[in-house]
Amino acid sequence: MAKLTVRLDDPIATISPMLYGHFAEHLGRCIYEGLWVGDDSPIPNTRGIRNDTVAALRKLAAPVIRWPGGCFADDYHWRDGVGPRHQRPRRMNLWWHDEEPNHFGTHEFIDLCRQAGAEPYICLNVGSGSPEEAAGWVEYCNYAGDTSRARERAAHGHPEPFGVRYWGVGNENWGCGGRFAPDDYAREYRRFACYLRGRGRAIELIACGHTGPDWNRTFLDTLGDLNTIDHLSVHRYIKCGDAVDFSDTEHYNLYPRALQVEADIVEAATALALYNRTGRHIGVIVDEWGVWHPEARGDSGLYQRNTLRDALVAAAVFDVFNRHADKVTMANIAQTINVLQCLCQTQGEAMWLTPTYHAFDLYKPHMGNAAVRLDLDDVPTVEARGADGRAVALPVVSASASVDEAGKTAVVTLQNLHLAEPCPCTIRLRGGSIAKATARILTASDARDHNGPDAPAKVKPKRFKLDARATTLRAALPPHALVSAKVSLR
Ligand code: AHR
C-alpha cells in the first residue's frame, strides 16, 4: 500500500498558472490549419482563427502562448507579417522545409491570444536579426505615443498598444539560433537587452539557457550584470521508443528521461544563484518541453500520435514543475496543435483532443494554488534505465499537491505508472480534515490507446470514487492511470 502524506501546512510557493503554458511555431500544421485557417475557410473561424482549437485552449485557461518559434524565430522578420495580408511576402521556412505565406503575423497572433485568453510571449530574432529590428518590434507592439511605428500599428487596425510583456532574446542560440558559443551569446544578449530595455518598457526578457552547467555558467559569468535578465530558459525533449508500438521497458525508460527536467531546473536555478547579485528573483522558464517520438522525426511537420503514455509522462513533468514552483516561472509544451506532444490534432474540419490535453485539464485546479510538500512512502518500484544506461528504481507513483489561497480546497494529483499492477494508496492530509472529496481519472484499457478522427474520445477523463474519512483518502489506482482529486477542507 503506497502512503502519501500531503503537508498542507508546508507550502513551497505559488504555482504560477504560467507553468501550464503553450508553444506554437510556424512548423508543420501548428499555425496553418491548427490555429489559422483564414477568414474565407469553410472551417468555422473568427477573423481567420479556428474556433474549435481556440475554444479548447480557452477551456484549459491557457495562460500563455510562445510564438513564432522555435528555430523559426531566429529567421523571422516581423515586418513580413504586418500590413495588408495579400501584400505580405512569401518566404522560405528555412528550418521546416516549407514556405511561409506570412498570413499569420503579429496582429493575428495577438488576436489568437485574446480569443484564447492567453498572454502573448514573443521570441525575438537574434540569429539573423538585429537589435534595431527587435527593439522596433517591441515599439510597434507596445508604444502608446506618436512614433511612426505606433502610427503604423494603428493604421493596421490597433491604435491601442498590445502590451506584450514576455520577450525571448533568441531561441536555442547554441544551435539553430545562430550557433553561438555561450560567451558570444552573452555579448550579443547584452547588446540586444540594452536597446530592448533602453526604452523604459514594462517588459520581461528571457535569456536562452541550456541543459547542463557549461552554457549557463559561462553565459551568466560573461554577462556580468544580471539586471538585464528576468528569466533563463531551458528546453527538454523526451525520447524513448515508438509513439504507439513501444515496449513495456520503453514505457518505464521514458520516465527517467522526463524527470531529467528536474535536474535541468535545479542546474539553471543553481547557476542563477551563483551569479545573481541583483537581489531580484530570476526565474527558470522551461520554454519547450515534451515527448518527441521517431514518428515525428520521419515527418517534416513533426506530427506524431499521442497516447495515454504521453499524458502520464506529462503529468510526471507537471509534478516536477509543481514541486519547483519556487524556481519555475513558466513552462510551455511543444507544441500546442498538430506538432509533437500537442493538445489538439486536426484533419481538415475534424478536431480531437489528445490524452495530453486531458492531463492539462486534470492539473488545471493547481493553477494559482500554493504547492505543498508531500511524502511518498512504501511506493513499489520498477526497474528502468536512464538515457545514460544506468539502472533506476522508478517509484510507480508520481504525485503533487496544492492548496488554494483561502485554505479551503486542496488538490492532489497522482498516477500509477505501472502497466499491469494496480496500486492501492492512502493519502493522509496533514494540517486539514476532509469535508468532501471528488475525483476524476484518466486511463484506458491500454497505455498505447490514443484518440483520432474515428475515435476522438477513446481516452478521456471519467469520475472516480475515492473513500474519504476524517483526514485520509483511500484509492485503488488502476494500472496506467492518472487521478486528480479536489478536497474541500473543514
Ligand atoms: O519544437 C521543435 C523544435 O525543437 C524547435 O523549433 C526548436 O527550438 C527545438 O529544437
Coordinates of all heavy atoms in Angstrom, one line a residue, residues 395-455:
P395 N 9.9 4.8 -8.8 CA 8.6 4.6 -8.0 C 7.4 4.6 -8.9 O 7.4 5.5 -9.9 CB 8.6 5.9 -7.1 CG 10.0 6.4 -7.1 CD 10.6 6.0 -8.5
V396 N 6.5 3.8 -8.7 CA 5.3 3.7 -9.7 C 4.3 4.8 -9.4 O 3.4 5.0 -10.2 CB 4.6 2.3 -9.7 CG1 5.6 1.2 -10.0 CG2 3.9 2.0 -8.4
V397 N 4.5 5.5 -8.3 CA 3.5 6.6 -8.1 C 4.3 8.0 -8.2 O 5.4 8.1 -7.6 CB 2.9 6.5 -6.7 CG1 2.0 7.8 -6.4 CG2 2.0 5.3 -6.6
S398 N 3.7 8.9 -9.0 CA 4.2 10.3 -9.0 C 3.0 11.1 -8.6 O 1.9 10.8 -8.9 CB 4.6 10.6 -10.4 OG 4.8 12.0 -10.5
A399 N 3.3 12.2 -7.8 CA 2.2 12.9 -7.2 C 2.6 14.4 -7.0 O 3.8 14.7 -6.8 CB 1.7 12.3 -5.9
S400 N 1.6 15.3 -6.9 CA 1.9 16.6 -6.3 C 0.6 17.1 -5.7 O -0.5 16.6 -6.0 CB 2.4 17.6 -7.4 OG 1.6 17.7 -8.5
A401 N 0.7 18.1 -4.9 CA -0.5 18.6 -4.2 C -0.4 20.1 -4.0 O 0.7 20.7 -4.0 CB -0.6 18.0 -2.8
S402 N -1.5 20.8 -3.8 CA -1.5 22.2 -3.6 C -2.8 22.6 -2.8 O -3.7 21.8 -2.6 CB -1.6 22.9 -4.9 OG -2.8 22.7 -5.6
V403 N -2.8 23.8 -2.3 CA -4.0 24.3 -1.6 C -4.3 25.7 -2.0 O -3.4 26.4 -2.3 CB -3.7 24.1 0.0 CG1 -2.6 25.0 0.4 CG2 -4.9 24.4 0.8
D404 N -5.6 26.0 -2.0 CA -5.9 27.4 -2.5 C -5.6 28.4 -1.5 O -5.3 28.1 -0.3 CB -7.4 27.4 -3.0 CG -8.4 27.3 -1.9 OD1 -8.0 27.0 -0.7 OD2 -9.6 27.6 -2.1
E405 N -5.7 29.7 -1.9 CA -5.3 30.8 -1.0 C -6.1 30.8 0.3 O -5.5 31.1 1.4 CB -5.4 32.1 -1.8 CG -4.4 33.1 -1.3 CD -4.6 34.4 -2.0 OE1 -5.3 34.5 -3.1 OE2 -4.1 35.5 -1.5
A406 N -7.4 30.5 0.2 CA -8.2 30.6 1.4 C -8.0 29.4 2.3 O -8.6 29.3 3.4 CB -9.7 30.7 0.9
G407 N -7.3 28.4 1.8 CA -7.0 27.2 2.7 C -8.3 26.3 2.7 O -8.4 25.5 3.6
K408 N -9.2 26.5 1.7 CA -10.4 25.7 1.8 C -10.5 24.5 0.9 O -11.3 23.6 1.1 CB -11.6 26.7 1.4 CG -11.8 27.8 2.4 CD -13.3 28.1 2.4 CE -13.7 28.8 3.7 NZ -13.9 30.2 3.6
T409 N -9.6 24.5 -0.1 CA -9.6 23.4 -1.1 C -8.2 22.9 -1.4 O -7.3 23.7 -1.7 CB -10.3 23.8 -2.4 OG1 -11.5 24.4 -2.1 CG2 -10.5 22.6 -3.3
A410 N -8.0 21.6 -1.2 CA -6.7 21.0 -1.6 C -6.9 20.3 -2.9 O -8.0 19.8 -3.2 CB -6.2 20.1 -0.5
V411 N -5.8 20.2 -3.7 CA -5.8 19.5 -4.9 C -4.7 18.5 -4.9 O -3.5 18.8 -4.5 CB -5.6 20.4 -6.1 CG1 -5.6 19.6 -7.4 CG2 -6.7 21.5 -6.2
V412 N -5.0 17.2 -5.1 CA -4.0 16.2 -5.1 C -4.0 15.4 -6.5 O -5.1 15.0 -6.9 CB -4.2 15.1 -4.0 CG1 -3.0 14.1 -4.0 CG2 -4.3 15.8 -2.6
T413 N -2.9 15.4 -7.2 CA -2.9 14.7 -8.4 C -1.9 13.5 -8.3 O -0.8 13.7 -7.7 CB -2.4 15.6 -9.6 OG1 -1.4 16.5 -9.1 CG2 -3.5 16.5 -10.1
L414 N -2.2 12.4 -8.7 CA -1.3 11.2 -8.5 C -1.6 10.2 -9.7 O -2.7 10.1 -10.2 CB -1.5 10.6 -7.2 CG -2.7 9.8 -6.8 CD1 -2.5 9.0 -5.6 CD2 -3.9 10.8 -6.5
Q415 N -0.5 9.5 -10.0 CA -0.6 8.5 -11.1 C 0.0 7.2 -10.6 O 1.0 7.2 -9.8 CB 0.0 9.0 -12.4 CG 1.5 9.1 -12.4 CD 2.1 9.3 -13.8 OE1 2.1 8.3 -14.6 NE2 2.4 10.5 -14.1
N416 N -0.5 6.1 -11.2 CA 0.2 4.8 -11.1 C 0.7 4.6 -12.5 O -0.1 4.4 -13.4 CB -0.8 3.7 -10.7 CG -0.2 2.3 -10.8 OD1 1.0 2.2 -10.8 ND2 -1.1 1.3 -10.8
L417 N 2.0 4.6 -12.7 CA 2.6 4.4 -14.0 C 2.8 3.0 -14.4 O 3.2 2.6 -15.5 CB 3.9 5.2 -14.1 CG 5.0 4.9 -13.2 CD1 5.9 3.8 -13.6 CD2 5.9 6.2 -13.0
H418 N 2.5 2.0 -13.4 CA 2.7 0.6 -13.7 C 1.8 0.2 -14.8 O 0.6 0.5 -14.8 CB 2.5 -0.2 -12.4 CG 3.2 -1.5 -12.5 ND1 2.8 -2.6 -13.3 CD2 4.4 -2.0 -12.0 CE1 3.6 -3.6 -13.3 NE2 4.6 -3.3 -12.5
L419 N 2.3 -0.7 -15.7 CA 1.4 -1.1 -16.9 C 0.5 -2.2 -16.5 O -0.5 -2.4 -17.2 CB 2.3 -1.4 -18.1 CG 3.0 -0.2 -18.7 CD1 3.9 -0.7 -19.8 CD2 2.0 0.8 -19.3
A420 N 0.8 -3.0 -15.5 CA -0.1 -4.1 -15.2 C -0.7 -4.2 -13.8 O -1.8 -4.7 -13.6 CB 0.8 -5.4 -15.4
E421 N 0.1 -3.7 -12.8 CA -0.4 -3.8 -11.4 C -1.1 -2.6 -10.9 O -0.7 -1.5 -11.1 CB 0.9 -3.9 -10.5 CG 1.8 -5.1 -10.9 CD 1.2 -6.4 -10.5 OE1 0.4 -6.5 -9.6 OE2 1.6 -7.4 -11.2
P422 N -2.3 -2.8 -10.3 CA -2.9 -1.7 -9.6 C -2.1 -1.2 -8.4 O -1.2 -2.0 -7.9 CB -4.3 -2.3 -9.1 CG -4.1 -3.7 -9.2 CD -3.0 -4.1 -10.0
C423 N -2.4 0.0 -7.9 CA -1.6 0.4 -6.7 C -2.6 1.0 -5.7 O -3.1 2.1 -5.9 CB -0.6 1.4 -7.2 SG 0.5 2.0 -5.8
P424 N -2.9 0.3 -4.6 CA -3.7 0.9 -3.6 C -2.9 2.0 -2.9 O -1.7 1.8 -2.6 CB -4.0 -0.3 -2.6 CG -3.2 -1.5 -3.2 CD -2.4 -1.1 -4.3
C425 N -3.6 3.1 -2.6 CA -2.9 4.2 -2.0 C -3.7 4.8 -0.8 O -4.9 4.8 -0.9 CB -2.8 5.4 -2.9 SG -1.7 5.1 -4.3
T426 N -3.0 5.2 0.2 CA -3.7 6.0 1.2 C -3.1 7.4 1.2 O -1.9 7.6 1.0 CB -3.6 5.5 2.7 OG1 -2.2 5.5 3.0 CG2 -4.2 4.2 2.9
I427 N -3.9 8.4 1.2 CA -3.5 9.8 1.2 C -3.9 10.5 2.4 O -5.1 10.7 2.7 CB -4.1 10.5 -0.1 CG1 -3.8 9.7 -1.3 CG2 -3.6 11.9 -0.2 CD1 -4.8 9.9 -2.4
R428 N -2.9 10.8 3.3 CA -3.2 11.4 4.6 C -3.0 12.9 4.4 O -1.9 13.3 3.9 CB -2.4 10.8 5.7 CG -2.9 11.2 7.1 CD -2.2 10.4 8.1 NE -0.8 10.9 8.3 CZ -0.4 11.9 9.0 NH1 -1.3 12.6 9.7 NH2 0.9 12.2 9.1
L429 N -4.0 13.7 4.9 CA -3.8 15.2 4.8 C -3.3 15.6 6.2 O -4.0 15.4 7.2 CB -5.1 15.9 4.5 CG -5.8 15.5 3.1 CD1 -6.9 16.4 2.9 CD2 -4.8 15.5 2.0
R430 N -2.1 16.2 6.2 CA -1.6 16.8 7.5 C -1.9 18.3 7.5 O -1.6 19.0 6.6 CB -0.1 16.6 7.6 CG 0.4 16.6 9.0 CD 1.9 16.5 9.0 NE 2.5 17.8 8.7 CZ 3.8 18.0 8.6 NH1 4.7 17.0 8.9 NH2 4.3 19.2 8.3
G431 N -2.7 18.7 8.6 CA -3.0 20.1 8.7 C -4.4 20.5 8.1 O -4.6 21.6 7.8
G432 N -5.2 19.5 8.0 CA -6.6 19.8 7.5 C -7.4 18.5 7.5 O -6.9 17.4 7.4
S433 N -8.7 18.6 7.7 CA -9.5 17.4 7.6 C -10.6 17.6 6.4 O -10.9 18.7 6.0 CB -10.2 17.1 8.9 OG -11.1 18.1 9.3
I434 N -11.1 16.4 6.0 CA -11.8 16.4 4.7 C -13.3 16.6 5.0 O -13.9 15.9 5.8 CB -11.6 15.0 4.1 CG1 -10.1 14.8 3.8 CG2 -12.4 14.9 2.7 CD1 -9.7 13.3 3.6
A435 N -13.9 17.6 4.3 CA -15.4 17.8 4.3 C -16.0 17.0 3.1 O -17.0 16.3 3.3 CB -15.7 19.2 4.2
K436 N -15.3 17.0 2.0 CA -15.9 16.3 0.8 C -14.7 16.2 -0.2 O -13.8 17.0 -0.3 CB -16.9 17.3 0.2 CG -17.7 16.7 -0.9 CD -18.7 17.7 -1.4 CE -19.2 17.2 -2.8 NZ -19.5 18.3 -3.7
A437 N -14.7 15.1 -0.9 CA -13.7 14.8 -2.0 C -14.3 14.3 -3.2 O -15.2 13.4 -3.2 CB -12.7 13.9 -1.5
T438 N -13.9 14.9 -4.4 CA -14.4 14.4 -5.7 C -13.1 14.2 -6.5 O -12.1 14.8 -6.3 CB -15.3 15.4 -6.4 OG1 -14.5 16.7 -6.5 CG2 -16.6 15.7 -5.7
A439 N -13.2 13.3 -7.5 CA -12.0 13.0 -8.3 C -12.4 12.6 -9.7 O -13.5 12.2 -10.0 CB -11.2 11.8 -7.6
R440 N -11.4 12.8 -10.6 CA -11.5 12.3 -12.0 C -10.3 11.5 -12.3 O -9.2 11.7 -11.7 CB -11.6 13.5 -12.9 CG -12.9 14.3 -12.9 CD -13.1 15.3 -14.0 NE -12.1 16.3 -13.9 CZ -11.7 17.1 -14.9 NH1 -12.1 16.8 -16.1 NH2 -10.8 18.0 -14.7
I441 N -10.5 10.5 -13.2 CA -9.4 9.6 -13.6 C -9.3 9.6 -15.1 O -10.2 9.7 -15.9 CB -9.7 8.2 -13.1 CG1 -8.5 7.3 -13.3 CG2 -11.0 7.6 -13.7 CD1 -8.6 6.0 -12.5
L442 N -8.0 9.6 -15.5 CA -7.7 9.4 -17.0 C -7.0 8.1 -17.1 O -5.9 7.9 -16.6 CB -6.8 10.5 -17.4 CG -6.4 10.5 -18.9 CD1 -7.7 10.8 -19.8 CD2 -5.3 11.5 -19.3
T443 N -7.6 7.1 -17.8 CA -7.0 5.8 -18.0 C -7.7 5.2 -19.3 O -8.5 5.9 -19.9 CB -7.1 4.9 -16.8 OG1 -6.3 3.8 -17.0 CG2 -8.5 4.5 -16.5
A444 N -7.2 4.1 -19.7 CA -7.8 3.4 -20.8 C -7.4 1.9 -20.7 O -6.7 1.5 -19.8 CB -7.2 4.0 -22.1
S445 N -7.9 1.1 -21.6 CA -7.6 -0.3 -21.5 C -6.1 -0.6 -21.7 O -5.5 -1.6 -21.3 CB -8.5 -1.2 -22.3 OG -8.6 -0.7 -23.6
D446 N -5.4 0.3 -22.5 CA -4.0 0.1 -22.8 C -3.3 1.5 -22.8 O -4.0 2.5 -23.2 CB -3.9 -0.5 -24.2 CG -2.5 -1.1 -24.5 OD1 -1.6 -0.3 -24.4 OD2 -2.4 -2.3 -24.8
A447 N -2.1 1.5 -22.3 CA -1.4 2.8 -22.3 C -1.1 3.3 -23.7 O -0.7 4.4 -23.9 CB -0.1 2.7 -21.5
R448 N -1.2 2.4 -24.7 CA -1.0 2.7 -26.1 C -2.2 3.4 -26.7 O -2.1 3.8 -27.9 CB -0.5 1.5 -26.9 CG 0.8 1.0 -26.4 CD 1.1 -0.5 -26.7 NE 2.3 -0.9 -26.0 CZ 2.4 -1.4 -24.8 NH1 1.3 -1.5 -24.0 NH2 3.6 -1.8 -24.3
D449 N -3.3 3.4 -26.0 CA -4.5 3.9 -26.6 C -4.4 5.4 -26.9 O -3.7 6.2 -26.1 CB -5.7 3.7 -25.7 CG -6.2 2.3 -25.7 OD1 -5.7 1.5 -26.6 OD2 -7.1 1.9 -25.0
H450 N -5.0 5.9 -28.0 CA -4.9 7.3 -28.3 C -6.2 7.7 -29.1 O -7.0 6.8 -29.5 CB -3.7 7.6 -29.2 CG -3.6 6.7 -30.4 ND1 -3.1 5.4 -30.3 CD2 -3.9 6.9 -31.7 CE1 -3.1 4.9 -31.5 NE2 -3.6 5.7 -32.4
N451 N -6.4 9.0 -29.2 CA -7.6 9.4 -29.9 C -7.3 9.8 -31.3 O -6.1 10.0 -31.7 CB -8.2 10.7 -29.2 CG -8.6 10.4 -27.8 OD1 -9.0 9.3 -27.5 ND2 -8.5 11.4 -26.9
G452 N -8.3 9.8 -32.2 CA -8.0 10.0 -33.6 C -9.4 10.4 -34.2 O -10.4 10.4 -33.5
P453 N -9.4 10.7 -35.5 CA -10.6 11.2 -36.2 C -11.8 10.2 -36.0 O -12.9 10.6 -35.9 CB -10.2 11.5 -37.6 CG -8.9 10.8 -37.8 CD -8.3 10.7 -36.5
D454 N -11.4 8.9 -36.0 CA -12.5 7.9 -35.9 C -12.9 7.6 -34.5 O -14.0 7.1 -34.3 CB -12.1 6.6 -36.6 CG -11.8 6.9 -38.1 OD1 -12.4 7.8 -38.7 OD2 -10.8 6.2 -38.6
A455 N -12.1 7.9 -33.6 CA -12.4 7.6 -32.2 C -11.8 8.8 -31.3 O -10.8 8.7 -30.6 CB -11.7 6.3 -31.7

